Amino acid sequence: MKMRRVKLRVNRSQLLYLSKEKTSENFQKEGMLQVGRKETALAERFCRLRGNLLFILKKQGGELEEVLLLEKCNVMKLSGDGRRLAVSFESGDSTVFLQSSSSAESASWLVALRDANTETLRRRITHLHTLIDSHSQEHTNTTRDSSLENEGSTSGAQSAVEASPLHLAVECRGLVAMAATVQVQVCVTNAHTGRKYCSTQIVKTSEDGEFLTSVCFRGDSPTNHPNRIEVTVYRPEESMTHTTRSFMGFASFSVRDLLRSKEPHISLSLRAMDGVNDIGEVKVSRLQMEEDGGDKAPEHQCPALCDTLHSSVQDKENSPMMRAALCAHICKVYRFQTEDRRWLLVREQMSETPLSFSLPKQLLDMLIQEQTNRVLELKELGDLSPHWDGLRHDVINHCNHLIGCYEETLAELNKLSASSCFKSSSTKSDRHLQFVPTNLHSQRMEVTSPNSTGVWYEVITFGAPADHHHAFKHGGLKRLLSKHLHRRNSSVSYTRDESCRARELLASMAQLQPLIFGLAEELLSVSLELNAARLQEVLDNLKLQTELFVHALKDELVKNALLAIHDQVASRCNSSHVHSNGLLCETSSDGQDGLPSLRLQDHGRRHTEYDEDEWDMVWINVAKSLNCIIAMVDRLQGRERSLSKSSSPGESRGEATPLNTVSPSSFSASWQEQLLPLVVTLRDCVREAVTKARAAMTFVVLQGAVTATVAQGSAQMVQRRHAVFSQALPAVVCGFMLKLYGGLEDPDFLQQLPTVGILAQFEGLLSTYGDEVGMLEDMEVGVADLSRVAFTVTQARTEQPDDLLPTLSGAWGSFIVEVPLPLATFSSLPQELKDGCLIRVEPVLFNIGINQHQSLAERFGDSSLQERVNHQSCERLKAYCNTLRDTLPHMAGIQSLADLLSSLDRSVESRKRKNVELLWIAAMVCRKVNGVRLTSCKSAKDRTAMSVTLEQCAILRERHSLGQQHFSTALDCMRRSRLSWGQMLGCYAHSGFTVSGLGPDQGPSGLQSSWLPQSLAPKAPRRHLYPVAFLLVTSHLLVVWLILSLVILLAKYQ
């Protein structure tokens, strides 16, 4: 097969398939032609034109000989013979000659080949645009006067449409009997463009044709009066591929027609493809809540724009704070009936957040700076003995490895677009996205009923914080840390504050020792002078600096460090260790403690207990040496005064006078000789104290660095912990921001924040089988690390979104998240919050596995990890609630916590399999105490969507009187919307199934309802993927099999 030389990748098999397709309707033209590269040598060939491809076959249905790409070419009729055409190419390829059987056939081929060129098609489209523009201008001029006349009657409606979202309800009639399933797609079209906004859920023939999913146009949508809304109806059961769909009918109307209609709804005829035949009817209505005093049934209520929903959306959704916290919104609106047959309007919104990337970047910056500062501090310690220098080398290598990894990760994140705010589940193992949470979304539901206006419920969903890049071959963080603690040598550890105090003492000693030595030398020099006042001045300065020195040495940290050094030396006797620099350090019984100039003073005391009073004697000796100098100076000055009185009794002056003695030089020399031994003793005592204190504080700084780095595990383990924490942090911060924005008018909530903090309740749906055990172990440690995070509220510089994003400060183990608020909002806060009071986080994790792997774990595996996590979290939750009840006893709903906590305790202690009731109770407690709700599974897709939709429908039933008969319908409707959302946001990319191809009785491939709890299971289960014989093996049959096998073995060998 020959093809024209073009820089285009083609698939030979696809071209062959297209050329031999039997359906002639897919080709613009086909027939026999004489074809050749030379005008005098033409051969008869069968030609088929499809799009811009001309297939040339040796005969009809025969072998494909050549394919012409009709781009950048010129098709013309040859002069002299009306049957001949020539196709010339701009690329320089040889001209192709075509000859038909007649002039009429040649003209038909000429038109078809020219229309196949994209340039010709583009010119025709441009011409059509010109005609449409001219027609639209004429229509606008014709209707301008009538629009001005009716401006007073329609201005309110128009402003409502332009300023507020437009919510429409769709109802099909006459179609349900014709098709098994029906789905409606809504588009907004203007002069040139059309945009799909929403698709409803699927209805069956057994239902009444009314779609619970409404169509929501946001305030920034182009729903102006001249625009038209197009409604298209499809049969979705035939849309198993993305290329074909079964079209049924369409209808269109303008926004002006809907707003000017006397009735709040319009009925439209659905037309077939020919635009003539009517196949049914679609009814489009504007939504509102019914009036409280009406007794009419919901279907007879007069719908209009829902003002309460509009006001909440306009005031809260478009506020600068919400725009900074959330982005990429997807919204759906539902109508459900309550028990008293009234309408319940539910608005569901899923949003991404820029915190997914901004906070991990800040965290990486701070970790890099922290590790860099630690390296500089260790290098400033100066020369150390081989053992401690090797330990310092280990820490520096550990820090440098982390710095290199984090700098590389941060550089890759900075390369991403500034608008990036989402990490899909397909990239959860990406090395450079290791610190970014997976599928982080805010799931918000607003409920508007006749008795309430705009009540919001939030749940943060994200993939379980876990290190998928390093995988789970050796378990998760909890197991790795436990193994490391067992292998770790028992050594003293120091906190960050103690290390800081040690560095301050080192700096203080480095400053005070030269001052004391200098003043001591100056004191000896002044003693040679004959000026008593100058001598007293120097002595006072020496006394002041020495007292400061002694006060610094009296710190208990020095004494404890010296004791720790003694204990460590005793434990390391006759041991060896190889450091990262290759140095082998051996500790013999000589008692070298590893730090310079500090040895055990007595070989016989090497194996005895350390005398804690030894250090006290060191700084006491410094004080006593100073006192001796002061006493000597006083005695010498007294002797001088007595000699002066005896020699000159009448010359008594109040000012300083020269020392008049018989031999002044011998007198001053006598002073210096008497002060010199005391000054030498002082310097020796100070030097000894500095040596021991410097060794002790160096030990504290070095051990503090070891505690923060090497003692935490390998560099990979520390990086894993940082990554897991980085994934959990944005989710908690996003939830706190939404909770803060929603509770600005709640005084109890604002008082709760500084007193007891904010509760973060994590709901895990991970199984205790396979890799998900490691994920749960990672998540447990990551959630626990959040307890060392605190929030503080600050005033934003401006109301720009960048200035309203939270910022991170502090260091690992004591991070502070600053949440800025606009000036007006910040001014309304209580004074305690405005003063920067810290708001601590109390995280709890409750996990219940709900998939098929959890069934295997409960029958043949071990679920003790899940039981331990739930028990510990239950204790922490009860402690938090008790503190809240004692602090704010008059808080709304606080007294009902006792019953819920008792139920939670019983549920934790029970051995019920897949006890999802535990999760429901924990969620109820969290909402009672204004906590942040977070839900996670492996990737925050299937199981998370099941849990969130069930919780939302339960809230509608318990708090907003959703009719019990409509509960299942509402649950199914919301879950199918989640599937379409996941497809739109790429959550299900590369997951192995196509969401748009799911039928009305199908669910995602990962959700086998036979394994799910009944409340979480879809309506109709799919066929599971496990062999039936394996699933029939129960624990009882396994025991019987083991007994029979044992009996057979005993009988065989007897």
Side-chain angles (χ1 to χ4, degrees):
M1 180 182 67
K2 301 178 182 178
M3 288 184 289
R4 184 171 66 84
R5 297 189 301 273
V6 293
K7 294 181 179 180
L8 179 68
R9 296 181 62 183
V10 297
N11 188 312
R12 178 184 177 87
S13 61
Q14 290 183 356
L15 290 178
L16 291 174
Y17 173 78
L18 292 175
S19 64
K20 295 182 179 181
E21 191 171 355
K22 296 181 180 180
T23 305
S24 299
E25 297 176 354
N26 295 329
F27 294 89
Q28 283 79 20
K29 191 169 180 60
E30 61 182 7
M32 299 298 297
L33 292 175
Q34 300 286 332
V35 183
R37 295 285 180 175
K38 296 182 180 179
E39 192 173 358
T40 57
L42 302 180
E44 188 177 51
R45 296 289 183 263
F46 184 74
C47 299
R48 311 184 80 181
L49 178 64
R50 182 167 185 172
N52 58 355
L53 297 177
L54 180 63
F55 298 95
I56 302 176
L57 292 78
K58 291 185 177 180
K59 61 180 181 178
Q60 185 172 0
E63 181 182 354
L64 179 64
E65 183 178 78
E66 189 175 2
V67 179
L68 295 182
L69 178 63
L70 301 176
E71 294 294 340
K72 295 185 178 181
C73 63
N74 185 25
V75 184
M76 57 185 175
K77 182 181 292 188
L78 295 179
S79 59
D81 190 348
R83 299 178 303 165
R84 289 197 172 190
L85 304 176
V87 183
S88 59
F89 300 95
E90 296 179 4
S91 61
D93 288 351
S94 57
T95 304
V96 178
F97 297 94
L98 307 174
Q99 180 176 328
S100 61
S101 58
S102 64
S103 297
E105 184 69 13
S106 176
S108 175
W109 272 104
L110 178 64
V111 173
L113 293 175
R114 285 181 174 176
D115 288 346
N117 196 317
T118 305
E119 294 296 330
T120 303
L121 182 61
R122 189 176 291 111
R123 288 194 295 270
R124 294 180 63 185
I125 293 175
T126 303
H127 178 65
L128 289 175
H129 282 172
T130 304
L131 294 178
I132 293 174
D133 289 340
S134 60
H135 176 75
S136 300
Q137 185 65 27
E138 293 176 0
H139 180 73
T140 302
N141 294 334
T142 304
T143 60
R144 181 178 300 168
D145 296 337
S146 60
S147 298
L148 292 175
E149 292 176 1
N150 297 326
E151 183 177 2
S153 60
T154 62
S155 60
Q158 181 176 0
S159 61
V161 173
E162 294 178 352
S164 303
L166 180 62
H167 300 275
L168 305 178
V170 182
E171 181 179 354
C172 291
R173 297 173 180 175
L175 289 174
V176 182
M178 299 172 57
T181 56
V182 175
Q183 189 175 26
V184 174
Q185 174 181 308
V186 180
C187 297
V188 174
T189 60
N190 54 22
H192 308 310
T193 61
R195 176 182 173 188
K196 175 182 175 181
Y197 273 91
C198 186
S199 294
T200 65
Q201 87 281 5
I202 300 170
V203 297
K204 305 177 184 177
T205 55
S206 60
E207 300 179 7
D208 57 4
E210 182 176 5
F211 294 93
L212 296 178
T213 307
S214 303
V215 182
C216 174
F217 299 100
R218 293 181 57 81
D220 55 354
S221 302
T223 52
N224 299 321
H225 282 195
N227 294 343
R228 300 186 66 81
I229 297 178
E230 180 179 313
V231 179
T232 310
V233 183
Y234 297 95
R235 281 195 187 101
E237 75 273 10
E238 298 182 8
S239 60
M240 296 304 293
T241 66
H242 294 285
T243 56
T244 60
R245 287 190 297 182
S246 177
F247 174 84
M248 294 187 64
F250 73 95
S252 64
F253 62 94
S254 67
V255 179
R256 178 187 294 105
D257 295 339
L258 179 63
L259 296 179
R260 287 182 176 180
S261 174
K262 295 181 179 179
E263 298 293 333
H265 57 80
I266 56 176
S267 297
L268 307 170
S269 297
L270 285 169
R271 291 169 291 178
M273 182 65 74
D274 55 11
V276 177
N277 297 325
D278 294 342
I279 62 170
E281 185 181 65
V282 63
K283 179 181 177 182
V284 181
S285 307
R286 306 192 305 270
L287 293 182
Q288 77 160 12
M289 293 294 96
E290 65 271 18
E291 298 295 334
D292 292 342
D295 297 329
K296 299 180 181 179
E299 58 268 21
H300 298 110
Q301 294 297 332
C302 176
L305 290 174
C306 179
D307 296 331
T308 56
L309 187 62
H310 289 168
S311 61
S312 64
V313 172
Q314 184 69 16
D315 298 340
K316 296 181 181 179
E317 291 289 312
N318 296 328
S319 65
M321 298 181 297
M322 297 302 296
R323 291 199 302 268
L326 303 177
C327 61
H329 312 285
I330 292 184
C331 173
K332 288 207 173 182
V333 180
Y334 311 95
R335 292 186 304 157
F336 303 126
Q337 286 189 24
T338 60
E339 293 178 349
D340 55 355
R341 294 182 57 79
R342 309 181 78 176
W343 281 119
L344 196 65
L345 193 62
V346 179
R347 181 174 182 268
E348 196 178 22
Q349 176 179 296
M350 181 165 68
S351 308
E352 299 171 6
T353 172
L355 305 181
S356 295
F357 281 81
S358 66
L359 283 178
K361 289 180 181 180
Q362 295 182 50
L363 178 62
L364 285 170
D365 267 330
M366 301 196 63
L367 291 176
I368 292 172
Q369 187 62 41
E370 180 181 354
Q371 301 298 331
T372 303
N373 293 338
R374 182 170 289 120
V375 171
L376 295 176
E377 292 169 359
L378 293 179
K379 289 181 178 180
E380 291 175 355
L381 293 179
D383 295 334
L384 300 176
S385 65
H387 170 74
W388 296 109
D389 188 61
L391 189 59
R392 174 170 61 180
H393 194 276
D394 295 344
V395 175
I396 291 177
N397 278 352
H398 187 282
C399 295
N400 286 335
H401 178 80
L402 293 179
I403 291 172
C405 293
Y406 293 167
E407 286 179 343
E408 181 182 355
T409 301
L410 184 60
E412 292 296 328
L413 290 179
N414 289 331
K415 291 179 182 178
L416 299 177
S417 171
S419 60
S420 298
C421 56
F422 176 72
K423 170 188 170 184
S424 64
S425 60
S426 60
T427 59
K428 61 176 174 287
S429 300
D430 194 329
R431 173 187 175 188
H432 298 128
L433 297 178
Q434 182 184 7
F435 283 72
V436 181
T438 302
N439 278 353
L440 175 57
H441 291 103
S442 126
Q443 314 279 356
R444 309 176 67 221
M445 179 179 70
E446 183 187 26
V447 183
T448 306
S449 62
N451 301 324
S452 62
T453 58
V455 182
W456 284 96
Y457 303 94
E458 297 100 358
V459 178
I460 305 299
T461 61
F462 69 115
D467 187 4
H468 294 273
H469 172 66
H470 290 111
F472 311 96
K473 182 178 180 180
H474 303 290
L477 271 174
K478 191 66 176 180
R479 192 186 314 175
L480 294 174
L481 290 174
S482 299
K483 292 180 181 178
H484 174 71
L485 291 176
H486 288 306
R487 293 194 304 264
R488 176 182 168 187
N489 295 329
S490 58
S491 59
V492 64
S493 60
Y494 294 97
T495 64
R496 189 185 311 277
D497 293 338
E498 290 174 333
S499 298
C500 292
R501 202 158 81 243
R503 288 192 295 271
E504 292 174 358
L505 285 175
L506 286 174
S508 178
M509 286 185 295
Q511 180 184 6
L512 291 175
Q513 183 184 10
L515 287 176
I516 294 174
F517 284 4
L519 290 172
E521 292 295 333
E522 187 178 358
L523 182 67
L524 292 177
S525 301
V526 171
S527 64
L528 295 175
E529 300 177 3
L530 302 179
N531 193 328
R534 175 62 179 158
L535 184 66
Q536 187 63 40
E537 180 183 354
V538 174
L539 181 61
D540 291 341
N541 289 335
L542 178 62
K543 178 182 177 182
L544 175 62
Q545 299 301 328
T546 307
E547 288 177 350
L548 292 176
F549 180 78
V550 172
H551 179 73
L553 295 182
K554 292 170 63 176
D555 196 316
E556 286 294 323
L557 181 62
V558 182
K559 180 190 293 187
N560 295 335
L562 291 172
L563 177 60
I565 291 175
H566 179 276
D567 294 340
Q568 195 168 94
V569 169
S571 63
R572 284 201 344 261
C573 285
N574 300 319
S575 64
S576 62
H577 175 71
V578 179
H579 296 281
S580 59
N581 58 358
L583 176 65
L584 174 62
C585 292
E586 296 183 356
T587 306
S588 64
S589 59
D590 293 339
Q592 177 73 24
D593 71 342
L595 289 169
S597 305
L598 182 59
R599 298 173 179 267
L600 293 179
Q601 300 298 324
D602 186 4
H603 181 78
R605 292 170 47 196
R606 224 177 274 135
H607 302 289
T608 61
E609 293 186 0
Y610 179 71
D611 187 3
E612 297 184 5
D613 296 334
E614 182 177 335
W615 170 246
D616 293 336
M617 295 302 300
V618 172
W619 61 264
I620 289 175
N621 288 337
V622 175
K624 287 183 177 180
S625 300
L626 177 64
N627 292 334
C628 291
I629 293 176
I630 295 174
M632 178 59 70
V633 171
D634 290 341
R635 187 164 56 249
L636 293 175
Q637 285 181 343
R639 186 187 308 170
E640 184 272 335
R641 284 193 296 269
S642 63
L643 290 176
S644 299
K645 290 181 180 179
S646 62
S647 60
S648 303
E651 298 179 2
S652 177
R653 302 175 183 265
E655 57 187 24
T657 58
L659 300 176
N660 298 320
T661 61
V662 177
S663 179
S665 59
S666 61
F667 183 79
S668 59
S670 174
W671 271 43
Q672 189 179 49
E673 291 175 358
Q674 296 185 57
L675 286 175
L676 180 59
L678 300 179
V679 170
V680 171
T681 303
L682 174 64
R683 286 188 299 187
D684 291 342
C685 292
V686 170
R687 188 178 293 109
E688 180 186 5
V690 167
T691 301
K692 289 192 174 184
R694 182 178 294 165
M697 295 302 96
T698 301
F699 175 80
V700 172
V701 172
L702 190 56
Q703 285 298 125
V706 170
T707 302
T709 54
V710 179
Q712 298 299 321
S714 63
Q716 180 177 328
M717 191 186 304
V718 174
Q719 183 179 353
R720 184 187 194 106
R721 188 169 188 173
H722 290 168
V724 172
F725 174 81
S726 177
Q727 294 178 30
L729 181 63
V732 173
V733 175
C734 180
F736 173 78
M737 293 175 67
L738 295 179
K739 186 64 66 173
L740 177 64
Y741 298 161
L744 290 173
E745 299 178 358
D746 185 355
D748 289 339
F749 174 69
L750 296 179
Q751 186 180 359
Q752 171 188 348
L753 293 179
T755 53
V756 295
I758 186 77
L759 177 72
Q761 187 250 322
F762 288 80
E763 177 183 294
L765 303 172
L766 297 170
S767 67
T768 54
Y769 183 87
D771 285 348
E772 292 194 10
V773 177
M775 299 177 200
L776 182 56
E777 291 173 343
D778 276 2
M779 187 175 183
E780 180 185 2
V781 177
V783 170
D785 286 339
L786 290 172
S787 61
R788 292 177 283 186
V789 175
F791 292 97
T792 183
V793 183
T794 60
Q795 179 180 328
R797 292 178 296 178
T798 66
E799 293 190 4
Q800 296 298 321
D802 291 342
D803 291 333
L804 292 173
L805 287 175
T807 56
L808 197 63
S809 61
W812 177 258
S814 57
F815 284 119
I816 297 176
V817 181
E818 298 180 2
V819 180
L821 295 179
L823 175 60
T825 306
F826 183 79
S827 302
S828 63
L829 294 177
Q831 188 61 40
E832 194 172 4
L833 291 177
K834 290 194 289 186
D835 292 339
C837 178
L838 295 181
I839 304 169
R840 60 185 181 88
V841 179
E842 183 63 38
V844 293
L845 168 62
F846 292 95
N847 185 85
I848 294 294
I850 62 173
N851 63 353
Q852 66 272 22
H853 292 155
Q854 184 62 28
S855 299
L856 297 176
E858 290 175 344
R859 288 183 179 272
F860 312 112
D862 181 19
S863 60
S864 59
L865 172 62
Q866 174 177 284
E867 296 172 0
R868 177 178 56 80
V869 169
N870 293 338
H871 179 74
Q872 293 176 354
S873 296
C874 181
E875 295 300 321
R876 288 197 298 268
L877 181 59
K878 288 192 294 185
Y880 175 85
C881 293
N882 292 334
T883 304
L884 179 62
R885 186 170 54 228
D886 296 339
T887 307
L888 301 173
H890 303 295
M891 184 176 174
I894 197 68
Q895 300 302 327
S896 61
L897 282 178
D899 296 337
L900 288 175
L901 292 175
S902 299
S903 301
L904 179 65
D905 203 10
R906 289 193 299 270
S907 183
V908 169
E909 296 298 333
S910 66
R911 297 291 180 177
K912 182 180 178 181
R913 294 177 177 176
K914 297 185 180 179
N915 187 13
V916 293
E917 181 185 1
L918 185 149
L919 301 179
W920 299 341
I921 299 174
M924 293 174 63
V925 174
C926 179
R927 296 196 184 279
K928 284 280 187 182
V929 298
N930 301 316
V932 177
R933 286 271 297 112
L934 304 103
T935 301
S936 297
C937 63
K938 179 179 179 180
S939 300
K941 294 188 301 188
D942 305 336
R943 285 170 278 178
T944 299
M946 289 291 182
S947 175
V948 171
T949 50
L950 177 63
E951 180 181 356
Q952 290 178 342
C953 289
I955 290 174
L956 294 177
R957 179 182 59 190
E958 295 171 4
R959 299 193 178 187
H960 300 280
S961 303
L962 175 67
Q964 184 63 36
Q965 65 274 21
H966 300 291
F967 182 87
S968 299
T969 304
L971 183 61
D972 183 66
C973 180
M974 284 187 172
R975 286 179 173 174
R976 298 202 175 279
S977 297
R978 297 288 167 152
L979 296 182
S980 63
W981 284 4
Q983 180 69 18
M984 293 167 64
L985 292 176
C987 296
Y988 293 97
H990 314 291
S991 61
F993 66 92
T994 304
V995 175
S996 60
L998 291 174
D1001 297 326
Q1002 290 181 319
S1005 60
L1007 297 176
Q1008 287 80 32
S1009 62
S1010 58
W1011 295 97
L1012 289 172
Q1014 183 178 5
S1015 56
L1016 292 176
K1019 268 189 175 180
R1022 297 188 63 187
R1023 185 186 307 170
H1024 44 70
L1025 305 178
Y1026 293 91
V1028 176
F1030 177 76
L1031 296 180
L1032 290 176
V1033 177
T1034 65
S1035 57
H1036 303 290
L1037 292 179
L1038 185 60
V1039 172
V1040 172
W1041 177 80
L1042 290 174
I1043 295 174
L1044 291 177
S1045 300
L1046 183 60
V1047 171
I1048 293 173
L1049 288 174
L1050 292 176
K1052 181 178 180 180
Y1053 291 102
Q1054 280 182 352

